[in-house]
Amino acid sequence: MKTLRFGSCVAATMQVVAFVAAAMAGTMPAHAEDTFRVAYAGSMGVVMDKALGPAFAQREHVTYQGQGEGAYGLARLLASGRSTADVFVSITPGPMAILKDAGLIDDAIPVASTRMVIAYNPKGRFGEAFRLAGSDAAHPVWWKVLQTPGLRFGRTDPATDPQGQNIVFTLMLAQKYYDQAGLAHSVLGDIRNPQQVFGEGGLLTRLEAGQVDAASGYESATRSAKLPYVALPDEINLSNPAFSKNWYDTVSFALPAADGKEKTVRPQPLVFYAAKLKNAAHPKAADDFLSFMTSTQGQQLFDENGYGKPKGDALYH
């Protein structure tokens, strides 16, 4: 006859008790199909996974899971079926157009806004120079600091991420605004310079760790990360729709398209849009989350994390 050790019996009994207790308390780990998923532009990690997501999960008694990546790349994953989500939140209209063309969304609503800034590491070699540059609005020299030999600048890939495109537009506009020929290339090098391009989700983390001295950033994400930054005038920070037609739209550049040909990209307003996907596993929760983001509580959480009010109308209406 097989003999069981007392300790083994106790351990087994305790596991059963814990299992039953968890089931009765409703704290059993959720199955994958019970998880409400939000795919979002990578810069939104803090506000989504530490503010909006947990608050919504607590209020609606759902299990929340966030996925943040470059918005264009993430939109293509969703459109191809290689990734799934209930809600997609993008910066600028461009990534939403990919899902619209794929038949996955009907519309997208504005939920917040932001502007481009230059984030920097206050403890780095150039921290004081950036601090002084940002404090003298009458004589801005931030673009001179960026051209300092040896300075390591970080940004995201313009082929997969709107922020990667926006920093190029910002430097191109700065070149015109400050009348500094060659400024954009001097700071950025090639459009997809491998020495500067990093994944969006880890860019500010690299800045905090001192792996880069300065980085492109949205004011929202930079404030969420509690990092200092140089604020830029409306003429180059892409935040003011009043400058769109006669100023922002005067710059553009080419990128390789999926078909191998080149496509021309132009600035788009720095507005965050949210949409429910037609193949959402939890359509009601998706509708509720859209409403939550535009509610008083949702907008307060956006504001506390450095985001501006939503601007403009819904897309595709």
Side-chain angles (χ1 to χ4, degrees):
M1 183 174 69
K2 188 174 182 179
T3 302
L4 293 178
R5 293 184 179 179
F6 178 75
S8 299
C9 293
V10 172
T13 302
M14 292 301 292
Q15 288 177 350
V16 172
V17 170
F19 183 90
V20 174
M24 294 179 63
T27 57
M28 288 293 293
H31 295 294
E33 60 269 21
D34 297 328
T35 300
F36 172 68
R37 291 184 171 86
V38 178
Y40 56 79
S43 67
M44 305 182 77
V46 173
V47 71
M48 281 296 175
D49 292 346
K50 295 186 178 180
L52 288 165
F56 179 76
Q58 182 178 26
R59 192 181 80 167
E60 300 295 328
H61 307 291
V62 299
T63 299
Y64 162 87
Q65 182 182 81
Q67 177 186 1
E69 296 181 27
Y72 276 108
L74 193 49
R76 294 186 186 107
L77 288 175
L78 293 168
S80 67
R82 288 177 289 169
S83 185
T84 59
D86 297 294
V87 170
F88 178 53
V89 189
S90 164
I91 176 73
T92 75
M96 284 297 176
I98 294 174
L99 298 187
K100 176 67 173 177
D101 292 343
L104 284 176
I105 64 171
D106 286 327
D107 54 26
I109 61 171
V111 294
S113 63
T114 193
R115 58 180 178 167
M116 291 298 293
V117 299
I118 302 298
Y120 63 90
N121 186 327
K123 299 178 181 179
R125 295 178 297 159
F126 303 93
E128 182 64 9
F130 278 116
R131 188 189 69 78
L132 293 174
S135 65
D136 188 358
H139 303 91
V141 292
W142 60 270
W143 48 271
K144 292 183 179 179
V145 181
L146 283 179
Q147 296 178 86
T148 306
L151 182 140
R152 298 164 300 175
F153 186 64
R155 54 191 175 97
T156 60
D157 189 347
T160 61
D161 181 41
Q163 187 188 142
Q165 295 182 12
N166 291 330
I167 187 58
V168 178
F169 294 136
T170 293
L171 268 296
M172 293 175 76
L173 289 168
Q175 180 172 304
K176 297 178 61 175
Y177 184 68
Y178 296 113
D179 192 21
Q180 295 293 316
L183 171 60
H185 188 269
S186 175
V187 173
L188 303 174
D190 294 336
I191 293 295
R192 301 182 71 186
N193 183 353
Q195 299 299 316
Q196 294 184 347
V197 171
F198 302 98
E200 183 184 18
L203 181 56
L204 293 183
T205 301
R206 289 178 182 274
L207 180 61
E208 290 179 291
Q211 296 177 18
V212 294
D213 301 302
S216 68
Y218 295 133
E219 182 181 38
S220 49
T222 306
R223 286 181 56 187
S224 293
K226 296 179 172 54
L227 285 167
Y229 59 89
V230 177
L232 307 175
D234 280 6
E235 286 84 352
I236 62 178
N237 68 22
L238 305 177
S239 73
N240 192 338
F243 288 107
S244 291
K245 185 175 182 180
N246 297 323
W247 182 247
Y248 295 162
D249 288 350
T250 63
V251 297
S252 63
F253 62 91
L255 280 173
D259 59 7
K261 299 179 181 179
E262 285 197 336
K263 64 176 180 179
T264 299
V265 292
R266 293 181 171 84
Q268 294 182 322
L270 293 187
V271 175
F272 293 88
Y273 296 91
K276 176 181 74 173
L277 276 74
K278 290 184 179 181
N279 60 353
H282 308 89
K284 183 182 184 303
D287 286 330
D288 291 343
F289 190 66
L290 295 184
S291 297
F292 177 67
M293 283 190 287
T294 58
S295 69
T296 300
Q297 182 184 1
Q299 286 296 297
Q300 181 178 346
L301 291 173
F302 271 121
D303 178 69
E304 290 172 357
N305 284 275
Y307 291 75
K309 296 293 183 183
K311 297 178 181 178
D313 300 320
L315 302 175
Y316 317 123
H317 269 188

